[in-house]
Amino acid sequence: MTRTYRAVVIGGGVVGCSVLYHLARAGWKDVLLIERSELTSGSSWHAAGGFHTLNGDPNVAKLQAYTVSLYKELEELSGQSCGLHLTGGVMLADSPERMDFLRLTHARGRALGMETELITPLEAKAMFPLMDTQHFVGALWDPVEGHLDPSGTTHAYAKAAKVLGAEIELRNPVQDITQDTDGMWTLHTVNGAIRCEHVVNAGGLWAREVGRMVGLELPVLAMEHMYLLTEPMEEVAAFNRETGRELIGVIDFKGEIYTRQEREGILLGTYEKACKPWSPVNTPWDFGHELLAPDLERIAPSLEVGFRHFPALEHAGIKQVINGPFTFAPDGNPLVGPVQGLTNFWCACAVMAGFSQGGGVGLALANWMVEGDPGHDIFAMDVARYGEWATLRYTNAKVRENYSRRFSIRFPNEELPAARPAETTPLYDLMLRDNFAVMGDTWGLETPLWFAPSAAEAYDIPSFHRSNDFAHVGAEVRAVRERVGVTEIANFAKYQVSGPGAEAWLEWLMTNTMPAPGRLVLTPMLNERGKLIGDFTIAKAAEGRFMIWGSLGASKFHMRWFEAHLPADGSVMVQRFHTDLVGLSIAGPRARDVLAGLVDGDVSNAAFRFMDFREMDVAGAPCMVNRISYTGDLGYEIWMKPSVQRRVYLAIKEAGAEHGIVDFGMRALLSMRLEKNFPTWFAELRPIYGPFEGGMERFVKFRKPGFIGRAAALAERDAGPRLRRVSLMIEAGTADVMGDEPVWARVGDQDFGTLEPPHGYGAVRFDAKGHEMPRPDPVRDGDWRVVGWVTSGGYAHGVGASMAQGYLPAVLAERGERGMFEVEIMGIRCAARIALEPPFDPEGARMRS
């Protein structure tokens, strides 16, 4: 007899057990976890068991903080010890560049509610006396770090889930997965068929194989990871006796190693450059509670550095070497959420830091399944962040790169080379060979970032400070502002929505009213909670046919949303274009002159108005042209098939020669958008902000009869937004903001209500349902308080100023006076003021002229 459940979780590691527990806690009792062997039979049992809250993405850090806060609750409910050791830990800097990184991390921590502290090598040595201070210039202390018992923690999740009514079935491998015509899934297992409404792939080492059962090639690869355990060391025992405390955890970036105490010895692990993938094509189903052969020669370079930095380790005996496989996605973050194109098939895999992230992954996924929304901004973990270009070979190359660089500095202007170029447009060779472009990777697509004066100078010097591109990007910006420039814009998402129900559907999906034929509108898209999940340009090409442009990196994220909300009667069709529709943009005061030389029709300001859309021949090639530009200047977006892109581009360059046309790249474009106070998706516009907080209210039309999120947006309007997006002018030195820096305000003891940011990562607390509880007071320094954070920024070359965008409490967002705000950039607090109007063309006359 076939059994039926509401949801079945495949995989009995820490992540699968966390998902099961959170589903049961959310009220789903008819849920089952099935495991091919025993619990922890994959990576969980041999994990080093460390946990921390620091993460490069603040939204991932938030869920890591939740994970750590959950363990005591699990112990109480399950009666199973997690073996918690909250020791704290330090990151050690061996160079000025690494110290800059620690200052940046510490500054960001202020806005995230973390209690980190920059300390000296001597202060670090007092907590970890095995280190030789001469090799280091500083350190960052984080009190919320430690380690636990991996097996005990996994069983605590499992036992707690069973207490709440969930079921667990061991030694029952899944052999195939099929979907019935009614949408229900059937899992064909060794012990018979199981039907369910929802399937969760928490397969760990076998997640890739589980995905293949439904035709999905997940971007996940297992890597061999080694750590060793020393024999008992007198130095460790002496510290324990003298202080009554354990040694802290240590990350040594130069040595690519991490250490912590294990009994009276040391656990030392590496992320070595000479890394090795495990089973890169197929994962053997008969692999279980076993380890891989140690290979100390491969990690010898890291050990040699470690022995210099921690001399006592060189003389310690090695008790055991652990070499086991762990799974990674190309960027090192998990793969979580519903899979676009499949109904109720969910991912919770590639969680390499399972004991830091497993609880947060389980919470977010359970919220998503039960309530229709993860309840947090988890795009950095969303499985939809990867496109079709993330093939098996791409994944294998990128994961190796990520693993080998885990303890390397990632500079804000650094483009990593592995698996590139994945996708190119017909202009790729022209950009590299003839125009000396420095290219970047945008969702797998090669995109010009800036243009060098020669091939020999076409490279970035990675830095936290202004780098070798600075003068050249500035020249590109000034040429556009003074004359005209052309840039490639293939790195937009493109969609066509058609059918008899297209307009009504878009009216319901978007906040703005749809345009008249031949016109454009800008519009946000909200979820049911009234939060921003999209930002689009929409053209009405004809009755029943609309063209849509948005963020390329959100293509699958948005297609998943579109498909989930399509009417069942087939009256609406959505088509996503990728590199089969490419584009060019010309912008600047001479842009119209250039376009006029390429077309046979009238493109005067009266005939082709701002926000017009027209299908027309450009250089004799069929194109779609939008009169709009992200530069904030007079400009046009020209869209075409790839087969004619070179022809159109070369014609633009020829027609623009007499007007002094230049090529400009993405960095110049982003610089120009700053001085117009234009927001960007992923930074200013994210699902934690409402449209009024994000400054998008003019695109929200409440006169419409209804749209998704209308009630929540109306409530935000009526109550007044708690936060507001602001534009900041900063008196910076040689470095500009990179994102997530804290904003300080001189407010003294004035009562402005709740000023602390809603992130609340390090000091965040959660109730039994996973909802945030009030935080302690925000960071203070005399009359100054941390009141907000930066979302993005850089140097605005057109107005000659360092600029940023960010969020402040609404009660402070109109304070334009000097001396009120500071932005902390790598430990230096720089004076800042709010730009109440865009510093470039505040009236928008240039766009409309």
Side-chain angles (χ1 to χ4, degrees), residues 37-84:
S37 181
E38 307 293 335
L39 296 182
T40 76
S41 289
S43 298
S44 296
W45 76 273
H46 60 73
F51 62 80
H52 56 275
T53 58
L54 285 171
N55 189 281
D57 186 289
N59 298 291
V60 176
K62 182 176 190 175
L63 291 175
Q64 290 182 187
Y66 166 75
T67 299
V68 175
S69 75
L70 180 64
Y71 288 133
K72 287 188 178 180
E73 176 188 326
L74 284 177
E75 289 181 326
E76 293 173 359
L77 181 59
S78 68
Q80 168 73 51
S81 172
C82 294
L84 292 173

Side-chain angles (χ1 to χ4, degrees), residues 218-331:
L218 286 169
V220 59
L221 173 68
M223 300 293 292
E224 293 191 16
H225 180 69
M226 269 183 284
Y227 63 88
L228 57 86
L229 304 172
T230 73
E231 298 285 358
M233 298 173 61
E234 175 55 29
E235 295 90 342
V236 175
F239 179 85
N240 297 158
R241 289 193 303 268
E242 293 167 8
T243 66
R245 295 183 284 110
E246 279 187 76
L247 291 171
I248 62 173
V250 171
I251 291 178
D252 176 5
F253 293 107
K254 178 69 174 178
E256 300 162 340
I257 58 179
Y258 60 90
T259 70
R260 66 166 176 82
Q261 183 173 335
E262 175 70 15
R263 299 185 184 276
E264 291 188 344
I266 291 292
L267 180 152
L268 183 151
T270 70
Y271 285 91
E272 70 281 4
K273 289 285 191 290
C275 57
K276 183 179 179 181
W278 179 75
S279 295
V281 178
N282 296 290
T283 306
W285 287 103
D286 58 354
F287 185 81
H289 272 86
E290 53 197 282
L291 294 172
L292 307 175
D295 185 2
L296 289 179
E297 184 176 343
R298 196 172 79 241
I299 65 173
S302 291
L303 294 180
E304 290 173 5
V305 176
F307 293 159
R308 291 199 302 271
H309 290 184
F310 312 103
L313 292 177
E314 186 173 9
H315 306 292
I318 297 177
K319 178 180 178 181
Q320 186 181 10
V321 178
I322 307 294
N323 186 19
F326 285 87
T327 56
F328 295 78
D331 61 3

